[in-house]
Amino acid sequence: GGCVRDRPAPGPGAGFAGDQLGYVRPSMTLTRQSTTLRRAARSLFGWTTLRPHQLAAMRAVMKRRDALVVLPTGAGKSAIYQIPASLIPGPTVVVSPLLALQQDQIAALNERQRPELRAVRISSHESPAQQSEAIEEIRAGRAEFLFITPEQLSNPERMAEVRALKPALVAVDEAHCISAWGHDFRPDYLALGHLVEEIGRPPVVALTATASPPVREDIVSRLRLRDPEVVVSGLDRPNLFLEVAHCPTEDYRWRRLVALLRSDERPGIVYVPTRRAAEDLAARLTDAGFPS
C-alpha cells in the first residue's frame, strides 16, 4: 500500500515527515506482505502457519522476482506459487512433466471450490474440445491455473494461445528434469527457457525436491532466470531411515524381505530392476500371504 524507497535517516528534530507523506519502511512492507500471505493461506487452504522457507520464496514471487526453490517432498512447494497466484492479477501457467502429479494437484485445488484456485489442464489426455474449453476457462477468468506439459508449449499454435492469456506467473515443477534428466528423459524441458520468453517472459518460480549446487546452476541457466531468489532448505528427513544389508544369495534376499514385511504391519514399496521382476515378486509375495 505504499512506496518503498531508501532514504537517509531523519536528522535531529527532523521528525517523521517522510512517513507522513506515504513512505513505507521495507521492514513494514515485509511484515504486511507476510501477513497478507498468511491470511490467504488460512482463508484458502486452512493453514494456520507458513514455514520460513515458504514465506521467503512467496515474498519473492509477490515482488515479481524469479525464484528457485529446493524443498524436500512434503515441505509445501506447491503452496509457494499457489498462494501468491491467488493474490496476483492474471493466470498462472504450471509446467510439469508428470500427468499423475498434475492430476493430484488439480484435484487438490478444485476441491477447494474457490474461483481463485480453479485449475484446468492441457495435455495429451484431453481431447481438442477439452483443450479449447480449458483455454476459454482461463480467458474468461473462470480458472486461475493452467497446467500444461512442455510438449504442448512446444506447439506454436498452443504457444500463441497461452501467450494471448498474458500469464502473470510461470511455475516449473520438477525443475531438476531440465538438468538431470532433460537430455534423455524430456528433451522439451530443455527448451523451457526459450518457451517462457515466447509467452511474454512473466516471472518464473522453479521448484524441485532435489538439486545439488551444479544442478541449481544448470536450472538457472537453462530457464534463463534473472537474479533469482534461491531458497534451499535442509534435506534431512527425520522420518526416513537408511540401512544397507548384504544379500549374498537370492534365497537370503527373499528371507530378509519376508522378515522385514512380518516385522512391520504398514504398507511398503519394494523396488526391483525390471517390470518382469516386479510381476514375479508380486506374485510370490501374494502367495506368501503379503498381498502385493
Side-chain angles (χ1 to χ4, degrees):
C3 302
V4 179
R5 299 185 183 179
D6 291 327
R7 58 186 177 92
F16 295 91
D19 289 330
Q20 293 167 6
L21 290 173
Y23 294 112
V24 179
R25 291 189 183 93
S27 60
M28 292 172 63
T29 300
L30 288 177
T31 301
R32 290 175 182 174
Q33 209 170 59
S34 297
T35 301
T36 300
L37 289 163
R38 288 191 181 101
R39 188 179 296 121
R42 188 180 301 111
S43 169
L44 296 173
F45 294 94
W47 300 330
T48 55
T49 59
L50 290 173
R51 299 182 179 95
H53 287 101
Q54 288 177 308
L55 268 175
M58 287 179 190
R59 285 197 294 259
V61 175
M62 293 293 289
K63 290 186 291 186
R64 311 299 199 270
R65 277 190 66 186
D66 289 349
L68 170 58
V69 181
V70 184
L71 296 180
T73 299
K77 287 189 298 299
S78 297
I80 287 168
Y81 70 82
Q82 290 172 356
I83 292 175
S86 71
L87 301 169
I88 297 171
T92 294
V93 173
V94 184
V95 184
S96 171
L98 305 173
L99 295 181
L101 178 61
Q102 284 186 6
Q103 193 57 49
D104 286 347
Q105 293 177 344
I106 290 169
L109 286 166
N110 288 341
E111 73 180 10
R112 300 285 171 180
Q113 297 185 339
R114 299 284 293 263
E116 60 268 56
L117 293 180
R118 180 166 158 70
V120 294
R121 182 173 73 173
I122 292 177
S123 73
S124 58
H125 277 212
E126 282 73 47
S127 68
Q130 290 172 321
Q131 294 176 5
S132 297
E133 182 181 356
I135 291 288
E136 182 55 34
E137 290 282 287
I138 296 286
R139 184 185 294 119
R142 294 190 296 267
E144 168 66 27
F145 297 95
L146 175 63
F147 283 75
I148 195 166
T149 57
E151 288 80 7
Q152 288 286 335
L153 273 182
S154 297
N155 180 319
E157 292 181 5
R158 183 70 68 215
M159 167 64 71
E161 289 179 328
V162 175
R163 182 172 59 243
L165 297 174
K166 297 181 180 179
L169 176 68
V170 172
V172 179
D173 212 355
E174 306 295 327
H176 59 277
C177 295
I178 293 168
S179 174
W181 296 351
H183 301 278
D184 301 320
F185 178 56
R186 299 295 283 269
D188 288 286
Y189 245 66
L190 297 178
L192 270 180
H194 169 70
L195 297 175
V196 171
E197 299 281 352
E198 287 292 304
I199 63 174
R201 192 44 176 90
V204 178
V205 55
L207 307 152
T208 178
T210 171
S212 62
V215 172
R216 289 177 223 154
E217 293 174 8
D218 213 12
I219 292 171
V220 170
S221 174
R222 292 186 181 277
L223 273 180
R224 306 179 187 180
L225 301 185
R226 301 170 182 170
D227 185 29
E229 178 88 12
V230 179
V231 178
V232 182
S233 78
L235 299 181
D236 179 41
R237 301 287 299 280
N239 58 318
L240 298 184
F241 169 72
L242 303 180
E243 178 186 28
V244 176
H246 176 59
C247 301
T249 66
E250 285 301 318
D251 180 63
Y252 183 93
R253 188 197 308 272
W254 167 253
R255 288 186 283 113
R256 182 64 190 262
L257 174 59
V258 169
L260 283 170
L261 294 175
R262 284 177 177 156
S263 69
D264 197 332
E265 295 291 323
R266 297 173 296 177
I269 301 173
V270 181
Y271 291 92
V272 293
T274 65
R275 180 185 294 251
R276 176 63 183 272
E279 293 170 348
D280 290 347
L281 182 60
R284 190 177 181 189
L285 284 172
T286 300
D287 290 343
F290 302 100
S292 306

